[in-house]
Amino acid sequence: MILILDFGGQYNQLIARRVREQNVYCEVHTALSMEKIRAFKPEGIILTGGPCSVYEEGSLLPPQEIFNLGVPILGICYGAQALAQVLGGKVCSGQSEYGKTELELLSASKLFAGVEKKSVVWMSHTDRIFTAPNNFSVIGATTSCPIAAMEDSARNFYAVQFHPEVVHTEAGAKIFSNFVDICGCKRDWKMSSFVAETISQLKNKIGDGKVLCALSGGVDSSVAAVLLSKAVGQNLTCVFVDHGLLRKNEAAQVEAVFKNFDLNFIQVDAGERFLAKLRGVIEPERKRKIIGEEFIRVFEEVSKKIGAVDYLVQGTIYPDVIESGLGKSAVIKSHHNVGGLPDFVDFKEIVEPLRLLFKDEVRQVGRELGLPENIVSRQPFPGPGLGIRIIGEVTAQKVKIVQEADAIYREEISKAGVKDLAQYFAALTNMRSVGVMGDGRTYDYAVALRAVLTSDFMTAKAAQIPWDVLNAAANRIVNEVKGVNRVLYDCTSKPPATIEFE
Ligand code: XMP
């Protein structure tokens, strides 16, 4: 396995993902003792990026002894500087580099085997290595960073100032592939290993305790539910809360699917209760927190009825965790299953078996578990549902409008056979404008249509939906949905927008 020592950077879980893509098992850990590091018996170690400066007092540095373990080590960004600092090099503040930069390779290196002499890399730093430690040679530079990559080839220590884990680094995958080869990893780890390991960990942790799973019918919570049912069998109860903010006919569809699985399934109709809590609330974060809290309260009530439930399972995945603000990362949105949780949750523990996976990896796990393709390839639907696709106050009338408009849009997309969209939906703006229908004036809402292309949902491009399809959807929406007289298409990417509107 490869051990990833985490120093708090934004992209650290992406490093794990890149290693997993090489079919090599890895784990990400913060501030491990040498004893624990040894216990992992790593075949290689990666030191991640991080927001601090290595020369600041109290900054987290890797233990000196890792350099005596005899295993290859790769330092990335802060990790590169930490490696330099611990081995006697010098790190200072330099000229900031942010974004795409050209890296020039200066000499041959096993780390860069097969990489072009000049290639684009992703930089994000102010500090840099000024003096390489003894026995290191500089193997790559950019115009503002003369030591952008260095190595001690005898001991297989490598340091790169750029981020090979970010897709914008053209040779990123190649660099990770080279590193796992340098480590001598067998590349025999697969998603099926993840499934087996997770089920066994869940069995050990939960034993014969009772578990409640928050099931939304989406990919993530469905995969989490099936993983748990394999681990604890009938001790699992899946609770599907219909918060009244689901897509048209969704509650009935979810029930139909899960009734066929061998698990306890309870549906709670809580639409009115959620609407009452949301009355008059317009601030998106407030809406998210209210929905998150109400969910937990419903689960707590169900759990009391079942009695002695210790664990609550959620299908939280990695992008939810990062965007809700992890460590020093900024809060973009409080995903209701992470940052939207109330401070007090009446369960012994919340279990999130998919917390470190990206969406496409969760889909792979779902296939491994034998979930039907119509669930595995479903487009994501956020926990707070239409509550965050209605800009401003949520009312029963607005929910109905967005449900109808969204159903029409999805029908038209599917009729036209538009493929490869990661997510597409209708949202209701809080803009009303003047229109004319028949011979009369209207003053109604504008619906916004959105469709995006993405694989990790961290960044996304607006999809170019054929005009005929948009036109057909827009015509049907204004004609069939009462209260709408205008349809807009959102062509912004993420960033600067997000996929959802709130
Ligand atoms: P954004 O809008 O942040 O969304 O670009 C990224 C992805 O996350 C989904 N999303 C959520 N999923 N709980 C979830 O389970 C949430 O609170 C939540 N908010 C956004 C969104 O649909 C997209 O796929």
Side-chain angles (χ1 to χ4, degrees):
M1 63 90 73
I2 301 268
L3 182 60
I4 301 174
L5 296 183
D6 178 7
F7 295 100
Q10 275 262 342
Y11 311 124
N12 292 353
Q13 190 56 30
L14 270 178
I15 300 177
R17 185 200 164 106
R18 298 287 167 246
V19 175
R20 293 198 289 261
E21 280 170 1
Q22 301 301 325
N23 297 327
V24 172
Y25 180 64
C26 63
E27 288 190 25
V28 185
H29 289 277
T30 314
L32 282 186
S33 66
M34 223 21 240
E35 196 190 341
K36 290 207 169 120
I37 293 176
R38 269 198 207 92
F40 279 111
K41 298 198 174 74
E43 292 167 290
I45 296 177
I46 298 180
L47 312 175
T48 75
C52 302
S53 285
V54 293
Y55 47 80
E56 270 168 16
E57 208 173 306
S59 61
L60 191 60
L61 290 172
Q64 172 94 45
E65 297 96 300
I66 63 167
F67 299 99
N68 301 328
L69 289 174
V71 300
I73 297 179
L74 169 64
I76 295 175
C77 193
Y78 176 91
Q81 296 161 12
L83 176 150
Q85 174 92 353
V86 173
L87 294 179
K90 192 162 186 275
V91 177
C92 298
S93 177
Q95 188 186 330
S96 297
E97 273 183 305
Y98 185 77
K100 291 182 182 176
T101 312
E102 190 176 75
L103 172 78
E104 182 172 358
L105 300 184
L106 304 176
S107 57
S109 160
K110 279 190 275 178
L111 188 68
F112 293 137
V115 177
E116 298 288 322
K117 187 163 169 42
K118 288 190 176 176
S119 69
V120 171
V121 297
W122 182 263
M123 283 285 195
S124 176
H125 70 111
T126 302
D127 287 353
R128 66 177 175 85
I129 302 167
F130 269 71
T131 315
N134 284 343
N135 304 321
F136 273 76
S137 53
V138 180
I139 51 174
T142 68
T143 34
S144 1
C145 186
I147 309 184
M150 62 177 196
E151 70 173 11
D152 173 344
S153 57
R155 291 192 291 171
N156 281 324
F157 295 159
Y158 303 88
V160 293
Q161 183 55 64
F162 58 89
H163 288 272
E165 70 277 24
V166 170
V167 284
H168 307 295
T169 295
E170 286 171 351
K174 185 80 195 124
I175 293 170
F176 281 105
S177 169
N178 291 339
F179 184 66
V180 302
D181 283 344
I182 292 168
C183 297
C185 298
K186 281 212 228 52
R187 297 174 180 264
D188 53 3
W189 186 83
K190 298 189 193 69
M191 266 306 163
S192 52
S193 328
F194 171 87
V195 170
E197 274 155 26
T198 309
I199 292 173
S200 123
Q201 281 166 9
L202 289 168
K203 270 187 185 150
N204 287 340
K205 181 188 187 85
I206 295 169
D208 51 13
K210 283 195 198 163
V211 185
L212 211 63
C213 178
L215 184 68
S216 73
V219 191
D220 308 339
S221 63
S222 302
V223 171
V226 178
L227 261 178
L228 258 296
S229 84
K230 303 251 180 215
V232 303
Q234 288 297 317
N235 278 345
L236 170 72
T237 303
C238 291
V239 183
F240 170 55
V241 178
D242 178 358
H243 50 20
L245 304 167
L246 297 169
R247 288 167 288 194
K248 189 176 176 182
N249 300 330
E250 189 162 26
Q253 286 164 8
V254 171
E255 191 181 0
V257 170
F258 278 90
K259 284 282 175 200
N260 292 327
F261 281 89
D262 182 25
L263 40 79
N264 303 311
F265 179 89
I266 297 177
Q267 179 171 345
V268 183
D269 294 314
E272 282 181 19
R273 174 173 171 170
F274 277 78
L275 269 188
K277 289 273 175 187
L278 289 168
R279 194 163 297 137
V281 182
I282 53 171
E283 207 280 309
E285 275 299 285
R286 188 81 209 101
K287 280 161 83 175
R288 283 176 169 272
K289 298 265 180 192
I290 289 172
I291 298 171
E293 161 135 24
E294 212 46 28
F295 252 102
I296 293 291
R297 299 297 165 240
V298 173
F299 291 126
E300 284 169 355
E301 287 164 24
V302 177
S303 121
K304 280 207 185 82
K305 279 189 201 143
I306 298 174
V309 177
D310 287 330
Y311 299 93
L312 175 69
V313 177
Q314 297 204 120
T316 314
I317 67 170
Y318 193 64
D320 305 343
V321 178
I322 315 178
E323 301 209 339
S324 294
L326 178 73
K328 292 186 193 279
S329 323
V331 175
I332 311 293
K333 300 174 181 186
S334 299
H335 282 208
H336 95 266
N337 41 8
V338 192
L341 286 180
D343 293 338
F344 177 72
V345 177
D346 195 7
F347 288 93
K348 184 167 140 195
E349 203 174 325
I350 295 190
V351 178
E352 297 173 318
L354 309 174
R355 197 178 168 86
L356 296 181
L357 300 188
F358 287 82
K359 193 70 156 197
D360 49 340
E361 295 178 313
V362 174
R363 292 193 209 277
Q364 281 180 51
V365 173
R367 290 188 185 106
E368 286 291 333
L369 288 166
L371 271 155
E373 194 55 35
N374 65 342
I375 294 208
V376 170
S377 56
R378 263 187 118 173
Q379 61 163 318
F381 185 64
L386 302 178
I388 54 163
R389 290 183 180 172
I390 293 170
I391 301 172
E393 188 185 5
V394 179
T395 63
Q397 182 219 4
K398 287 182 176 178
V399 171
K400 179 94 182 120
I401 291 178
V402 77
Q403 278 177 336
E404 295 298 329
D406 181 69
I408 292 173
Y409 183 42
R410 285 189 289 129
E411 255 172 58
E412 290 302 320
I413 294 264
S414 132
K415 207 160 55 178
V418 185
K419 293 260 180 307
D420 299 327
L421 300 176
Q423 209 168 348
Y424 53 99
F425 57 85
L428 184 61
T429 73
N430 58 355
M431 178 188 100
R432 292 172 77 192
S433 66
V434 174
V436 54
M437 261 193 174
D439 290 325
R441 175 187 191 269
T442 58
Y443 185 58
D444 282 335
Y445 284 108
V447 158
L449 303 181
R450 182 133 175 83
V452 294
L453 308 175
T454 175
S455 64
D456 59 15
F457 296 83
M458 302 282 290
T459 59
K461 274 201 302 206
Q464 294 193 20
I465 303 291
W467 178 250
D468 288 352
V469 181
L470 286 179
N471 207 16
N475 272 333
R476 280 192 58 198
I477 290 170
V478 288
N479 280 301
E480 295 175 33
V481 185
K482 201 165 167 312
V484 179
N485 66 355
R486 203 173 282 267
V487 176
L488 312 170
Y489 186 68
D490 180 354
C491 46
T492 30
S493 54
K494 171 185 179 176
T498 54
I499 296 174
E500 303 290 347
F501 281 64
E502 288 194 334

